[in-house]
Amino acid sequence: MSNSVNHQSEGDGSFPATDKLMLSNVTHEVESGAGESQQLDDSYKESFLMMLAEKADEKGVEPEKFFSQVQQYLKFMPDYIPSFDDEQTIEDDSRMQIDAHVKRKLGDALGGSIPKPPPGFRYISDSLYFEAASGPEVVSSLIFAGSRGYNAETGEWAVRLVFLDHSGDPVIMDIPAQLMQKQGELVKLLLSKGFRIFRTGGKELKEYLMSVNPTKRMQVFHRQGLVTSREGYHYFILNGEVIGDEDAEIMYLPQGTNGYRANSADKGTLDQWKANVAAPCSRSPMLIFMLCVAFVPIITKALGRSSFAVALHSESSSGKTTGLQVCASTIGPGGDPSRNQLTCINNCRHTNNHLEVVAQAYDSQPLLLDEIGMSEGKDVGQMLYMLIDGRGKGRMGPGAGSGAYHSWHTIPVVTGEQSFLSFIRAKDGSLKNGHIARVLDIPVSQETMIVPGVGQTGAALADMIKEQCLEYYGTAFKSFTKDFIDTATKEHGWFSSLKDELETLAQSFRSKVDRSHEKRAAEHFAVIRFAGKLAVNFGVLPFSQDGIINAVDTAFEAWCGGLEDKDELEYAIDGVREYLSRNQHAFINPQADAGSTRHLGYKMQENGVECLAFEEATLDGVLDPTIRRNRVYSRLHEQGALLKLSDDRYTVRRTVPGKGNLKLIVLRLDFLSA
């Protein structure tokens, strides 16, 4: 008997009634041709196929395509009736004979029962089989697409694959959904993780994986650190582990396979770290301060506070690097970078492009940079400001479109032999109030950084702490993060109470300084003390609350002592003074032939006062373009250096032979020697 499937649909796209009536004939024909011994009840199968037809009708599926799918379905698995929500499991099929221990391991990894295979495939023992005409043929290890995930930030989908490796251990592998179509790359990746493939080419494996449709949906994030789900729950992705994800709702899939990986891991237990690393720091206030700094980034990100940087400076052998190592031990190995030891401390010899990648890897964690003096060029201020700001440069993407940019939230911690502000000036870099307000420039000494006990030298204490930072690490930050996420989940409104408490503390620090940019900087010490307090409450730091207060106050007093009585305008004026002093020879008598003489400005008298006069463009390249000139002129006028001969402007009009009527800035000549 021959039944053609080349029927046309009705004008409205629906199936003709005659096509629907022929479904039972198709069923009988294909079953008899396939020679299968196991048969389903005809009336049940016909009823199910009629439902499929109605579904296809609703979705506008062409009749030819529908009948072709029905024939394929009946040919390979005449007794397989899939549910519409794809939730049938192998428990519904007696022919699936998976080993008990394999079923248990895979079920645990999947977080539920093992799904039933698509038509044409079978699970036997610990392997996937393809239903060939001659009988089942082995394809590969058992593998399952446990869930699909969506990244709302990038708009891309991902798939979670689950299988057992050569040792019989579960492997959970998250991959971009597009990799499912790149068979060669996918097979290579699977093999590297211990997956077994028995059929060359992997054609059946691809057909199998493309046929499954997991119902579970997850949210995908491509960066580490603190993340928030669309439902408002907080999680922390650390070394690929999603902290707080008890229900497996979050998938971590970093962009690119060859990107920078943060050198963070853990070794030993939290108690061992507390006894061997933290406890020996108990007499050293600046080491305790550095431990408090380690827990700041997750707090500032969670509460929506701005980032800042900590810059420790002093001559050599004061313990700066030891302080970095202690801080590093909270998140990963704390080796000494100058000795090429395993460490999560970076050096400053990076391009800004590379630092963007490094900063994103340390999102919600401190970014530790040793010896800022190794940085090249005058853009070090811009580099640190970029790290604080948390956003890299935009770049062109494929097709001349706008590409992705790196973003992060971290607290940079740098060391140097001179203050950060002095370093910028020495490099002829620009200095702004933002640098002063967002960089805590703290001078340190061995008397506060390394304080030994009775019968112990500072050098011996420092060496012992350095050694222990390589033996016990990575557990403190992880423990703090778990408690932080757990408390935020269980206590409704906890973040609001933290904000209120932190604001009260910040006001206390603001009241101790005078200038506005110093007050903004002082707030950061409040966050550091608050982080230390939480770490003590969580049982992470083995100190008293008084010990935390004393440590942060010590650092605050050192910072205050190192403050220069200048702001960004004063530094800008210093630059103007230096430039004009260096080029006095280029100021000429305005009665000279100005048109034939190369010059910057003019020497003249105003109301009996010797002055230098010049056009505003003369200061191009001298003043930072981000600082409004009128602010500089106003400050110069307040200091009596700028002669403001009109109430409504800082310039005057003067006629210069050969140049005409010019608009000039007029400064007293004695400004250069002030």
Side-chain angles (χ1 to χ4, degrees), residues 227-361:
V227 298
T228 306
S229 70
R230 55 176 173 265
E231 295 83 11
Y233 295 108
H234 296 282
Y235 306 91
F236 199 100
I237 303 175
L238 182 64
N239 301 328
E241 176 187 354
V242 184
I243 296 174
D245 188 23
E246 304 299 334
D247 298 323
E249 301 289 341
I250 304 299
M251 185 185 296
Y252 170 58
L253 186 63
Q255 290 183 320
T257 57
N258 299 315
Y260 176 88
R261 294 181 63 85
N263 193 8
S264 54
D266 57 78
K267 182 179 179 183
T269 66
L270 175 62
D271 286 340
Q272 288 174 322
W273 176 85
K274 288 163 65 176
N276 294 281
V277 177
C281 301
S282 60
R283 296 182 181 87
S284 307
M286 285 304 299
L287 291 183
I288 296 177
F289 173 79
M290 292 298 289
L291 287 172
C292 295
V293 169
F295 307 112
V296 168
I298 185 174
I299 297 174
T300 52
K301 185 171 184 179
L303 301 186
R305 296 186 67 90
S306 61
S307 177
F308 59 92
V310 175
L312 305 180
H313 64 91
S314 71
E315 296 180 356
S316 300
S317 303
S318 64
K320 299 187 304 294
T321 302
T322 304
L324 273 188
Q325 290 178 257
V326 166
C327 186
S329 72
T330 64
I331 60 175
D336 189 336
S338 66
R339 299 179 181 179
N340 200 29
Q341 295 175 340
L342 182 65
T343 186
C344 54
I345 300 172
N346 292 271
N347 64 52
C348 293
R349 292 182 63 86
H350 291 300
T351 64
N352 282 7
N353 287 346
H354 182 65
L355 271 178
E356 291 178 18
V357 178
V358 176
Q360 185 164 294

Side-chain angles (χ1 to χ4, degrees), residues 65-85:
K65 181 177 180 180
F66 170 73
F67 280 107
S68 175
Q69 291 174 344
V70 168
Q71 286 183 314
Q72 285 294 109
Y73 149 68
L74 291 171
K75 176 180 179 182
F76 285 111
M77 193 72 69
D79 60 338
Y80 168 47
I81 304 296
S83 62
F84 288 121
D85 57 7

Side-chain angles (χ1 to χ4, degrees), residues 378-430:
K378 64 181 182 180
D379 295 331
V380 62
Q382 296 178 10
M383 175 269 288
L384 194 58
Y385 212 71
M386 175 195 74
L387 294 177
I388 296 171
D389 197 45
R391 182 174 175 133
K393 292 182 179 180
R395 295 174 175 83
M396 296 297 291
S402 178
Y405 60 87
H406 294 112
S407 62
W408 58 85
H409 182 97
T410 184
I411 301 294
V413 183
V414 301
T415 64
E417 294 191 356
Q418 62 183 136
S419 74
F420 172 72
L421 303 183
S422 298
F423 183 79
I424 292 179
R425 291 198 299 274
K427 294 285 188 178
D428 293 326
S430 60

